[in-house]
Amino acid sequence: MKEIQFKQVQNSCCAPETKQDLVKPDSNLFTNLPVAIIGAGPIGLAAAAHLIERGERIIIFESGSEVGSHIKEWGHVQLFSPWQYNIDKAAARLLEKTDWERPNDDDLPTGKELLEQYLYPLSRLPEIESNLKLNAKVTAVSKKDMDKMKTLGRESQPFIVFVEENQLTTLYEAKAVIDATGTWGKANPIHSSGIWTKEEGDLKEHIFYGIPDITNRDGERFNGKKVAVIGGGHSAINSMLELSEDPITKIFWIMRKSKVGNAYGGEDNDQLKARGALGSRIHRLVDQGRIQVFTPFRMHQLKQVDGKINIIGMSLGGVKQVEGIDEIVVNTGSRPDFSFLSELRLNIDPTTESVETLAPLIDPNVHSCGTVRPHGEKELRHLEKNFYMVGMKSYGRAPTFLMATGYEQVRSIAAYLAGDYEGAEKVELELPETGVCSINNVSDQAEESCCSTTPAAKVSSCCS
């Protein structure tokens, strides 16, 4: 049995508020307690920077062994968005007090460069490093001595964050909680109905969720094999471009789009040259017969036959099989993890699984990244006062998130928690004049991933 430690900071209490829309944090409530930030990726560390600038105490929990541990998994992938839109302003101000060299604003970083040139230096700042806990997995968040059912005096109690670290469960008190855990690592399943099946679980050794790194890490696994890539967005395209580096790998592209041309985007007419080049490259490979396309295809079943995988689904009204597959790469998006928040009162939209107020603003059936208006603390509130989901997780399953949007979210929340209510309500978002993430076919839009920005000579992906 794991030992439980309890870390407590003395605090004062007051009577709970009764109207969620009118509440403002009492400056005397839990004065000595920190704001707990869950996740040390770009948005979590940006939240830390804004809170530090405002003199707030913080504590950051990261389940990985280093900051941005999820980014490391796609470190070989290049972003569409240049450095200008990937560096938070408060974080930059803190870094500029050191010998940090800011990258060229117009360059497009890879995930690895995002870590090495920005997140690692940011995490080493004394005011962040001293409050950062690595290998610290948050397993639950609740209210002190209260489950979800208890209402009386609820807002006069601090949050309790349960953290597994060093084989112990440690309890931390916090006056507010910012969940910046994102959705990476919670991939959507293969089945077109969005359901996990036993067959998919049984074949997990032959299913890869993400973008393989053929040059370094994953070449031996995929090279020379028959590989099916499932998904119709930019991640799927990047996976196939990686796989195509080996001339004898056979690639099968399976997606739900009505026709393959919808996946190419604007190509030469795309306002984002890098994104257009991505579509053009995959278009050429398909035309050359290097990639065999199955679309529209609704995946229903996986079968293992003589050590190979058969993918069975519906296409154009009939049953279709893709046979003899060695490995499957899944790029069907991701979804948020609410398992450790079960004792909090949340406002979650039942369709997008985003923060409820955001849902009509970000619904990918209606919006692209470029049509999502700026939003901040007010839109991100939950029934549980002073608890916030930010970044990718705030968008649930919607793929319309931009990193710059997350930075503005946490700026607004930090202002609110510090008592600057006017600053919290003044929400602005600076994006390129060309706009971002617009595509012609809205019906296919839910399958696309999004990013921001300017032309680039090198083909890139759009992780954010």
Side-chain angles (χ1 to χ4, degrees):
M1 178 178 293
K2 292 183 178 179
E3 181 181 345
I4 294 181
Q5 300 181 105
F6 187 81
K7 295 194 176 181
Q8 184 177 26
V9 181
Q10 184 177 358
N11 57 277
S12 58
C13 297
C14 62
E17 301 285 351
T18 56
K19 294 184 178 180
Q20 176 72 8
D21 288 343
L22 302 178
V23 296
K24 293 181 179 180
D26 191 317
S27 60
N28 295 317
L29 184 62
F30 318 135
T31 301
N32 296 324
L33 295 182
V35 176
I37 301 168
I38 310 174
I43 310 305
L45 291 182
H50 283 279
L51 289 164
I52 288 167
E53 278 201 328
R54 292 181 174 275
E56 294 291 319
R57 290 186 60 198
I58 61 167
I59 185 166
I60 311 165
F61 302 107
E62 167 57 47
S63 62
S65 60
E66 57 188 352
V67 300
S69 56
H70 285 162
I71 294 175
K72 195 171 183 178
E73 296 181 29
W74 51 268
H76 58 294
V77 179
Q78 191 177 56
L79 283 73
F80 281 150
S81 50
W83 278 111
Q84 178 183 358
Y85 301 100
N86 299 327
I87 297 175
D88 173 73
K89 292 180 179 179
R93 288 191 290 267
L94 293 178
L95 285 166
E96 286 164 358
K97 297 176 183 178
T98 70
D99 59 356
W100 175 65
E101 293 186 13
R102 184 185 179 105
N104 187 315
D105 278 353
D106 295 327
D107 289 346
L108 292 155
T110 62
K112 185 173 183 283
E113 290 166 342
L114 184 68
L115 290 171
E116 293 177 348
Q117 299 179 43
Y118 174 50
L119 293 183
Y120 289 162
L122 183 59
S123 71
R124 289 193 288 265
L125 295 176
E127 52 268 62
I128 289 182
E129 188 172 37
S130 61
N131 296 295
L132 173 62
K133 292 188 172 294
L134 300 174
N135 297 306
K137 180 178 176 60
V138 173
T139 59
V141 182
S142 186
K143 281 288 193 161
K144 185 177 180 179
D145 298 328
M146 289 187 164
D147 61 22
K148 185 186 287 186
M149 291 292 294
K150 302 296 182 183
T151 299
L152 183 63
R154 189 173 186 85
E155 290 179 5
S156 66
Q157 292 298 315
F159 290 95
I160 299 293
V161 184
F162 292 71
V163 184
E164 286 186 2
E165 49 184 340
N166 300 320
Q167 302 301 311
L168 301 174
T169 297
T170 308
L171 278 60
Y172 294 86
E173 290 190 355
K175 68 177 181 180
V177 175
I178 297 175
D179 179 356
T181 55
T183 59
W184 186 265
K186 292 289 291 183
N188 287 328
I190 291 175
H191 202 290
S192 62
S193 297
I195 301 299
W196 289 96
T197 63
K198 180 180 183 300
E199 290 75 15
E200 185 167 354
D202 290 343
L203 290 167
K204 63 183 179 181
E205 298 301 321
H206 298 281
I207 300 177
F208 183 94
Y209 301 90
I211 301 172
D213 182 359
I214 297 301
T215 304
N216 300 300
R217 183 185 62 207
D218 304 311
E220 186 176 349
R221 175 173 178 176
F222 294 101
N223 286 346
K225 305 286 183 62
K226 295 180 69 173
V227 184
V229 177
I230 300 181
H234 295 108
S235 293
I237 291 175
N238 271 279
S239 290
M240 289 182 288
L241 292 176
E242 283 280 324
L243 293 165
S244 69
E245 292 296 318
D246 177 62
I248 62 173
T249 299
K250 295 183 179 179
I251 306 168
F252 300 82
W253 189 6
I254 300 173
M255 57 182 161
R256 295 184 293 186
K257 292 184 181 297
S258 58
K259 56 184 179 180
V260 66
N262 291 341
Y264 299 150
E267 300 191 66
D268 292 341
N269 296 321
D270 199 313
Q271 289 180 321
L272 302 181
K273 297 297 184 183
R275 186 177 60 192
L278 200 68
S280 295
R281 283 187 65 189
I282 208 70
H283 191 170
R284 285 195 297 271
L285 290 175
V286 171
D287 286 350
Q288 293 165 3
R290 184 72 180 82
I291 296 171
Q292 187 173 350
V293 179
F294 295 85
T295 193
F297 191 101
R298 312 284 173 174
M299 211 293 296
H300 289 172
Q301 188 179 7
L302 298 175
K303 275 188 177 181
Q304 192 164 22
V305 180
D306 297 330
K308 304 288 186 178
I309 303 169
N310 290 351
I311 302 172
I312 304 166
M314 296 294 294
S315 181
L316 301 175
V319 176
K320 186 82 173 180
Q321 287 199 57
V322 183
E323 300 177 337
I325 298 299
D326 296 303
E327 299 283 344
I328 298 175
V329 175
V330 182
N331 298 129
T332 56
S334 55
R335 57 184 65 180
D337 178 11
F338 301 120
S339 62
F340 62 95
L341 305 175
S342 60
E343 291 305 314
L344 296 182
R345 299 177 177 183
L346 307 178
N347 297 349
I348 301 298
D349 178 71
T351 302
T352 61
E353 295 186 4
S354 68
V355 177
E356 189 172 42
T357 309
L358 289 186
L361 307 180
I362 65 173
D363 185 345
N365 295 295
V366 179
H367 294 281
S368 71
C369 297
T371 64
V372 176
R373 68 173 175 81
H375 53 272
E377 184 277 336
K378 185 177 180 181
E379 290 84 359
L380 294 167
R381 291 178 191 174
H382 287 270
L383 292 173
E384 205 74 75
K385 181 184 174 185
N386 294 345
F387 172 80
Y388 301 95
M389 289 178 191
V390 297
M392 281 288 291
K393 190 164 185 177
S394 71
Y395 276 44
R397 298 194 192 189
T400 43
F401 173 73
L402 294 171
M403 200 184 299
T405 301
Y407 292 157
E408 181 61 8
Q409 288 178 341
V410 296
R411 184 212 60 80
S412 175
I413 290 169
Y416 181 83
L417 293 175
D420 178 8
Y421 311 124
E422 183 178 350
E425 289 189 7
K426 187 179 180 182
V427 180
E428 299 176 347
L429 188 60
E430 299 176 11
L431 291 174
E433 292 181 3
T434 56
V436 291
C437 294
S438 56
I439 62 174
N440 296 326
N441 192 327
V442 174
S443 66
D444 285 328
Q445 194 165 303
E447 300 175 27
E448 301 295 335
S449 54
C450 289
C451 52
S452 56
T453 98
T454 61
K458 185 178 179 181
V459 174
S460 57
S461 171
C462 82
C463 300
S464 57

